Amino acid sequence: MIPWLNTNFRHFKPTAAIAINATRHMNKIERRKLFSPDIEPMRTAEGRWFEAIVYEMFLDIAKKTDTIRYIAMKGADAPRQRESVKVGQNGLFYSKYGDITIRGNGQDLAEFDMLLVDSNNHVAFAEVVTSPADLKEFEIEIAYKKKLLGYLYNQKTTPFLLVSSFDLSNYSVVKRLAKDKTNAIIHTSSCEEIKSLVKHYRPRIIYNEPKDHKKLIRATDIRMKHPFNYKGNHDEVKNRIFTEITHTPGRINPEIPGPTGQLVKKVLYGGLFPPAIRAVCETWGMTVKGKKIVIEDFSKQYSKAIIATDLPGYELIIYLRSRQKKEYHKLVQMKDGHFKFERPTPPKVGFFLWLETIQPTLGARITLQIIDAFTIHERQRTG
């Protein structure tokens, strides 16, 4: 499919009919914002629209070739009944917006702009970008999604398609991706060009819903060959790291063998008992929105603290459960060693529900050992 797309896709450009039909995947507010003078909401709506345009283009292309065997439904075509996020969920799900996600213990591990099955029964995925800002950490994200789909569907290679509304051929990350023959890089019409096709389109819009499209299937019907228990994989990785921490004082860089370990995106080591929270405050320090957290005020502001690391780089994170609002404050470690507020984790995501299940298990000694294990040597303690 990838060589075919690289060779033939240049002949497919969005038409006015496809562009208008794509708006069926947007709500009324998003449609109104497409031509808004307010740049930020306009760009957000534009990104959603272009993603739908690419999907509609593929619905059209798939009818004309055997290279694409199936396309997974999304957006307005997604099944009406969708499972709400719950702890313990593993596998493919549709979000409430009709987006395709893979969840692990309820957490969204990956979201896919499009899922396809080619003529060789390989599961492929596509990402759609409308801005260079979308390329931040893009390479790591694509590598993870390839690894995830490769494991779940028992594939040695996972085809990937990048579709952009702007020329990204000069970006180093894209040049690296283009060297991989399992990737297709496609530059289609710009959003401005597509808008020019529909700006003065006034006739009554009649959406062409693909009710009889022979290649359209539910994403959840693409059977996994390796069903997984993400919480079990996570705990296996966590236990390996704890073993290494207790046997190797100071900085460590664990290598977790096996594919299941490579699928774990974040390790949650546990909640902190009060002495551990005090040790972090006094030894390293924590600030939220410019204000330093002092241990005497901690219990007034927060009900819980959880320590974690992101993978693959083992960057340290502390999550604080706010008492004022139903959310967690995510704190990341800065270059000087202290933990600084980055953003909130809202209650509507599966990861929030997982955090809610975690209770205090870590004392001061093991907490400081975890921080020492993943803090770079140049960082200095405050105490």
Side-chain angles (χ1 to χ4, degrees), residues 32 54 68-69 88 146 160 169 189 203 231 241 276 331 337 377:
R32 283 200 297 268
V54 173
I68 300 172
R69 189 173 185 184
K146 281 190 167 230
F160 163 63
S169 58
S189 310
K231 179 65 163 55
I241 294 173
L331 280 61
H377 295 302

Side-chain angles (χ1 to χ4, degrees), residues 29-46 195 199:
I29 296 173
E30 288 175 324
R31 289 177 205 153
R32 283 200 297 268
K33 288 178 179 176
L34 268 178
F35 292 94
S36 170
D38 195 346
I39 296 297
E40 189 173 337
M42 184 273 286
R43 293 297 184 205
T44 302
E46 203 173 67
K195 280 183 178 180
K199 192 170 185 179

Side-chain angles (χ1 to χ4, degrees), residues 13-26:
K13 296 291 183 182
T15 62
I18 283 176
I20 291 168
N21 208 50
T23 61
R24 70 191 181 90
H25 301 282
M26 306 168 70

Side-chain angles (χ1 to χ4, degrees), residues 192-346:
E192 287 73 20
E193 289 171 327
I194 302 170
K195 280 183 178 180
S196 69
L197 297 175
V198 302
K199 192 170 185 179
H200 303 293
Y201 196 93
R202 291 291 179 264
R204 180 172 173 265
I205 296 172
I206 301 175
Y207 296 125
N208 180 28
E209 296 183 9
K211 293 177 181 177
D212 57 348
H213 200 299
K214 294 179 181 178
K215 295 187 177 181
L216 202 54
I217 62 169
R218 298 179 182 216
T220 49
D221 287 341
I222 306 175
R223 190 174 62 84
M224 290 184 177
K225 295 182 180 178
H226 281 161
F228 69 120
N229 176 353
Y230 188 78
K231 179 65 163 55
N233 297 338
H234 167 274
D235 291 349
E236 181 183 334
V237 173
K238 179 178 73 171
N239 292 336
R240 282 175 179 265
I241 294 173
F242 270 131
T243 299
E244 190 163 342
I245 286 173
T246 55
H247 286 87
T248 309
R251 174 79 180 174
I252 63 172
N253 187 24
E255 290 190 16
I256 309 298
T260 57
Q262 294 171 8
L263 301 183
V264 177
K265 298 187 76 172
K266 191 189 304 283
V267 179
L268 302 170
Y269 298 98
L272 310 187
F273 283 118
I277 297 170
R278 176 182 290 274
V280 175
C281 285
E282 295 177 351
T283 309
W284 296 100
M286 294 187 283
T287 58
V288 174
K289 299 178 182 178
K291 188 175 181 181
K292 185 177 180 180
I293 298 174
V294 292
I295 191 61
E296 290 76 17
D297 295 333
F298 183 89
S299 61
K300 298 175 188 175
Q301 299 169 281
Y302 300 103
S303 61
K304 183 165 54 174
I306 296 165
I307 191 164
T309 53
D310 266 338
L311 299 184
Y314 291 99
E315 296 88 0
L316 281 158
I317 303 166
I318 291 177
Y319 293 97
L320 302 178
R321 178 61 159 93
S322 173
R323 287 192 184 276
Q324 282 73 42
K325 198 173 180 182
K326 193 177 179 181
E327 65 183 15
Y328 281 84
H329 290 169
K330 179 184 177 183
L331 280 61
V332 297
Q333 194 178 37
M334 307 305 290
K335 289 182 178 179
D336 63 1
H338 89 281
F339 291 87
K340 182 180 177 182
F341 174 80
E342 184 183 65
R343 59 178 173 78
T345 298

Side-chain angles (χ1 to χ4, degrees), residues 91-119:
L92 268 168
F93 292 85
Y94 280 104
S95 75
K96 66 178 182 178
Y97 301 108
D99 296 323
I100 302 166
T101 64
I102 291 181
R103 295 176 192 164
N105 196 35
Q107 176 189 0
D108 281 347
L109 301 178
E111 183 181 302
F112 300 92
D113 292 343
M114 197 158 54
L115 273 187
L116 309 96
V117 180
D118 69 13
S119 55

Side-chain angles (χ1 to χ4, degrees), residues 138-139 142 146 160 162 172-181 183-185:
F138 192 69
E139 207 167 4
I142 298 308
K146 281 190 167 230
F160 163 63
L162 172 59
S172 55
V173 57
V174 177
K175 288 179 180 178
R176 289 193 294 270
L177 288 170
K179 290 178 182 178
D180 186 339
K181 299 304 179 186
N183 299 334
I185 314 295

